[in-house]
Amino acid sequence: DLDARGEWLADPKEDEPLRWSRMYARLKEWYGQHGHCDVPVGHPQFPELGSWVAEQRDRVRRGSISPVRALKLENLGFMRRGAVDHAWDTVLRRLESFRAAEGHCDVPLHYGADPRLGLWLHQQRQYALAGLLQPQQVAALERLGAIPCPTAEGEVRRASL
């Protein structure tokens, strides 16, 4: 049954595997529309989905989720997602656009067309040197040539364009 907003009403008699599959399908639909899995708890259109996502994140943190379910969620980018990761990915896409237009990632610190991009990149380089970035973030910046890539000999090189 649907409520007035078109959201599925929770059925206390619905078995857990069926509910999980139904909610996962809704999350895939959300991801297709929004490009991320950050469904806010209490979202006016999807209140049940936001709570379910929060519950799954908690299960992942506790290690109480089945490997099959964890893999399904991971395939959507669920495990590493969060508001901070989504914001980081958004700025990374702006850096990718800069690189596509300019052929490099040497964004001026005070770049007029995108004033915060240069500062963001400067900060990411500092965080990378300090070991504060997630491995996938380092890999994304290395792939673009925005930070040096370590070689087998311990030297560094820029990723080729």
Side-chain angles (χ1 to χ4, degrees):
D1 293 333
L2 300 175
D3 65 12
R5 293 180 302 246
E7 179 74 13
W8 285 100
L9 295 172
D11 181 354
K13 295 176 277 184
E14 180 179 39
D15 73 347
E16 199 274 336
L18 179 62
R19 179 176 185 266
W20 198 94
S21 295
R22 180 176 56 81
M23 296 306 293
Y24 176 73
R26 297 295 306 270
L27 181 61
K28 283 175 58 174
E29 179 183 330
W30 171 277
Y31 182 86
Q33 293 173 359
H34 300 279
H36 61 80
C37 294
D38 299 325
V39 184
V41 174
H43 188 282
Q45 287 182 289
F46 305 101
E48 185 184 8
L49 184 60
S51 298
W52 182 83
V53 166
E55 179 185 334
Q56 300 315 300
R57 289 197 196 289
D58 186 53
R59 287 181 178 187
V60 167
R61 277 191 285 279
R62 290 185 322 216
S64 64
I65 192 166
S66 77
V68 170
R69 288 180 179 179
L71 182 60
K72 284 183 170 190
L73 292 171
E74 185 177 325
N75 287 338
L76 281 180
F78 180 89
M79 303 304 203
R80 70 174 191 92
R81 305 314 301 172
V84 171
D85 289 326
H86 182 66
W88 195 93
D89 289 347
T90 299
V91 182
L92 180 68
R93 285 192 296 278
R94 292 182 0 226
L95 179 60
E96 290 170 342
S97 295
F98 177 91
R99 182 178 185 260
E102 302 295 329
H104 60 79
C105 288
D106 296 324
V107 182
L109 193 55
H110 302 287
Y111 179 54
D114 190 344
R116 291 185 276 176
L117 183 60
L119 179 59
W120 177 85
L121 181 57
H122 174 76
Q123 291 171 332
Q124 300 316 299
R125 288 173 172 158
Q126 297 301 312
Y127 295 156
L129 286 172
L132 299 175
L133 292 180
Q134 298 172 18
Q136 65 269 21
Q137 292 172 324
V138 171
L141 292 169
E142 286 175 346
R143 178 181 49 80
L144 289 175
I147 60 174
C149 302
T151 65
E153 295 80 30
E155 300 171 2
V156 294
R157 66 170 176 78
R158 291 250 186 201
S160 57
L161 294 177

